[in-house]
């Protein structure tokens, strides 16, 4: 393998963007070919060579392949919406999404290393209209400066780590100069899709702006490679707490064994499984959606069968904020007792006098 392979800029420059490029890795099925052709004008596809190398060329159901190769099924989703969380309506200035009083998602970039087929922000990713010009970034920073309740800023997109180190240094420096911004969070999939982005220089830069937290986005154990583990290790050594946010996806991670292997593998890499999102009612993603009851059962099956901190919170994001989707272990009150159900279905009554 050439030295270039390990350079993140080389990976970005050599991304796969058409059927011919994809054929270096696999022969697309008729359904994939149809998806590639018909979705060229609407959420076309982009894949890093690194992530493409994880795809199984012999298995169209490969969970890595399903996440990034277009499929005809995307054309058949009458229920899907362009902006199911009403993010545009929650934006006081361009690309700043405010659902809660004290924190914002700041979509600083419209680019990603690759395009996930189920992306919540597919309206934005790769679309020039959503790019943030320097002037627009400054306007958003100004809004943060004048909105004193904002103590937690999530830099997301797209992907903030697609920015150069220089641009990131400027942005982080500007945020750090705002007294009321206590925490900077990064939402990035690059440790999964382009782990070579996590260079020593990047880690040094991030560590100069602490407290910085980072949430990444692994969906399947196949993504837990030695390269990804190395990226997580570097970030951890730079003092950055790491969390993971997956999306529950049909045919990718919607079974107990896969989810358990993923979560335990993340913990071994010192990445805390944080959220698993219910897939949104998003255009072109009907074939990925899993009934919520099934999701609840998957996480119920993990309870008591692995370390508590290896079990992420399963949530439904709504325009009103995130809603936890928990199995109802708390069964209710009976007289002076609270009735609860244990992980293996046994009933316990805990004395709990009222008032
Ligand atoms: S990395 Fe995140 S923002 Fe980018 S395409 Fe994938 S899901 Fe969307």
């Amino acid at each position: 393998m050439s030295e270039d392979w390990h350079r993140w800029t080389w990976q970005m420059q050599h991304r796969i963007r058409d059927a011919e490029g994809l054929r270096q890795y696999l022969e697309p099925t008729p359904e994939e070919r149809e998806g590639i052709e018909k979705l060229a004008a609407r959420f076309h596809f982009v894949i890093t060579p690194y992530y493409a190398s994880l795809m199984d060329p012999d298995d169209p159901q490969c969970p890595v392949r399903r996440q990034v190769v277009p499929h005809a099924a995307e054309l058949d989703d009458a229920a899907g919406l362009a902006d199911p969380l009403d993010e545009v309506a929650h934006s006081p200035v361009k690309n700043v999404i405010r659902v809660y009083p004290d924190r914002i998602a700041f979509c600083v970039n419209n680019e990603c290393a690759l395009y996930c087929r189920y992306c919540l922000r597919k309206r934005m990713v790769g679309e020039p209209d959503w790019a943030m010009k320097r002037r627009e970034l400054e306007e958003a920073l100004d809004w943060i400066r004048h909105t004193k309740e904002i103590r937690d800023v999530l830099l997301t997109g797209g992907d903030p780590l697609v920015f150069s180190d220089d641009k990131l240094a400027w942005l982080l420096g500007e945020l750090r100069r705002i007294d009321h911004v206590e925490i900077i969070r990064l939402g990035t999939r690059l440790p999964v899709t382009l782990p070579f982005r996590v260079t020593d220089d990047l880690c040094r830069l991030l560590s100069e702006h602490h407290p910085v937290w980072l949430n990444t986005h692994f969906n399947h154990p196949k993504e837990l490679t030695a390269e990804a583990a190395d990226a997580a290790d570097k970030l951890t050594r730079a003092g950055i707490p790491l969390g993971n946010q997956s999306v529950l996806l049909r045919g990718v991670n919607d079974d107990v064994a896969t989810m358990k292997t993923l979560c335990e593998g993340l913990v071994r890499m010192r990445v805390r499984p944080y959220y698993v999102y219910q897939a949104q009612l998003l255009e072109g993603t009907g074939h990925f959606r899993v009934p919520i009851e099934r999701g609840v059962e998957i996480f119920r099956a993990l309870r008591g069968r692995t370390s508590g901190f290896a079990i992420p919170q399963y949530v439904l994001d709504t325009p009103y904020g995130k809603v936890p989707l928990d199995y109802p272990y708390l069964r209710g009150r009976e007289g002076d007792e609270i009735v609860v159900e244990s992980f293996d279905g046994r009933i316990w009554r805990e004395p709990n006098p009222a008032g």
Side-chain angles (χ1 to χ4, degrees), residues 2 49 81 90 180 190 209 214 218 243 249 295-296 348-349:
S2 77
L81 306 169
H90 283 90
H180 55 269
L190 264 59
H209 296 85
L214 187 150
F218 289 90
L249 298 169
V296 169
W348 174 256
R349 288 182 167 76

Side-chain angles (χ1 to χ4, degrees), residues 112 114-116 118-119 125 157-158 189 217:
C112 284
L114 52 68
Y115 301 168
C116 310
Y118 53 86
C119 177
V125 168
R189 207 173 181 211
H217 177 171

Side-chain angles (χ1 to χ4, degrees), residues 160-264:
L161 292 192
V162 170
F163 280 170
S164 67
D165 286 0
D166 283 350
K167 194 165 181 181
L168 264 176
W170 169 77
L171 187 58
L172 293 169
E174 290 298 309
L175 283 168
R176 268 291 153 252
R177 269 188 277 282
I178 303 173
D179 283 346
H180 55 269
V181 173
E182 296 169 13
I183 302 166
I184 300 173
R185 282 192 281 164
L186 297 165
T188 172
R189 207 173 181 211
L190 264 59
V192 186
T193 59
L194 182 47
F196 313 125
R197 174 64 183 102
V198 182
T199 59
D200 292 340
D201 284 348
L202 176 71
C203 291
R204 201 170 309 120
L205 164 64
L206 297 178
S207 69
E208 284 164 4
H209 296 85
H210 272 316
V212 174
W213 291 57
L214 187 150
N215 273 329
T216 189
H217 177 171
F218 289 90
N219 281 329
H220 190 273
K222 273 187 86 168
E223 298 167 339
L224 304 175
T225 62
E227 291 87 344
D230 189 45
D233 185 54
K234 280 185 177 155
L235 290 163
T236 306
R237 285 170 194 272
I240 301 164
L242 302 181
N244 188 67
Q245 306 189 162
S246 303
V247 181
L248 188 63
L249 298 169
R250 183 188 294 273
V252 174
N253 55 18
D254 64 329
D255 65 275
V256 176
T258 301
M259 192 54 81
K260 187 168 186 285
T261 306
L262 172 66
C263 293
E264 291 175 348

